[in-house]
Amino acid sequence: MLGGQLLYEGKAKRVYVKDENTLLMEFKDVVTALDGVKVSQAPGKGVLNAALSAFFFRLLESRGVNTHFIGYDGGRVLTVRRLKMVPVEVIVRNYAYGSLIKRLPLYKPLSKLGKPIVEYHYKSDELHDPLILPEDILNTGLMSGEELNTVNEVSLRVNEVLSSELVRYGLTLVDFKLEFGRDANGRLLVADEISGDTIRVIDAEGRHLDKEVFRKGGSVEDLIIAYSTLARRLGINVGFRCT
Ligand code: C5P
């Protein structure tokens, strides 16, 4: 339990108000899959995902991508900028997998896409985060045309940065999800988390170092091994503090 008012509790995180402009994002030791139907305790997961998110946000900031990240000092909590979140999930895909194949089984699993696909999903548990069109975003005012262009460009830039970094460690970025928020000046920043829960990464043998392990029926222990392996491969030193 952190100091400060609890602003939001989701499936995998709690968000607290630190001050007017700053939030604390606490990663829980819980793993969910199948739209929240499969829920398990996963000791160690919170610290791993906090450490992985900090790593990826720092990397993006170092390459000129603006994110909500402020700081991380180990443990399960990230300090982030307070934003107004845009209720759209942006998915970038380099290889066919997951819901893309479910939607269109013509795709061969893990076949490389001619160029990355950027998808938009409306964030709604009730509606199961449906795929939406850019036109839907504009017509409903979820984002302006200019904002949509920015989100598209930034998402593709994030893809370049993450893909090229992971390749250095012999890893392949299959796909990932981003969320964006607006700061007080209306500037869009990459927000939420970038962790084993929100990316798909495979090693040279095709082993998943991400949540796919759990989605496919693997145990919580398998999941922790996958996330720890990803962290170790990236040279992240994870302190297993459980407070
Ligand atoms: O399931 P799907 O193939 O659409 O997932 C694409 C990518 O987006 C995966 O890396 C998955 O981990 C991520 N994702 C997510 N949160 C969701 C849906 C997908 O992080 N609600």
Side-chain angles (χ1 to χ4, degrees), residues 89-93 97-100 119 121 129 175-177 179 196-200 211-212 215:
E89 295 190 339
V90 183
I91 292 176
V92 183
R93 302 180 188 275
Y97 211 83
S99 73
L100 176 60
E119 282 178 7
H121 293 251
D129 302 340
D175 56 31
F176 61 95
K177 185 258 310 180
E179 293 186 29
D197 280 12
T198 64
I199 58 176
R200 287 194 180 101
K211 192 164 154 184
E212 206 56 28
R215 293 192 191 103

Side-chain angles (χ1 to χ4, degrees), residues 199-220:
I199 58 176
R200 287 194 180 101
V201 192
I202 52 175
D203 68 10
E205 283 74 47
R207 275 187 299 250
H208 275 271
L209 305 183
D210 58 61
K211 192 164 154 184
E212 206 56 28
V213 169
F214 186 74
R215 293 192 191 103
K216 287 238 174 76
S219 67
V220 163

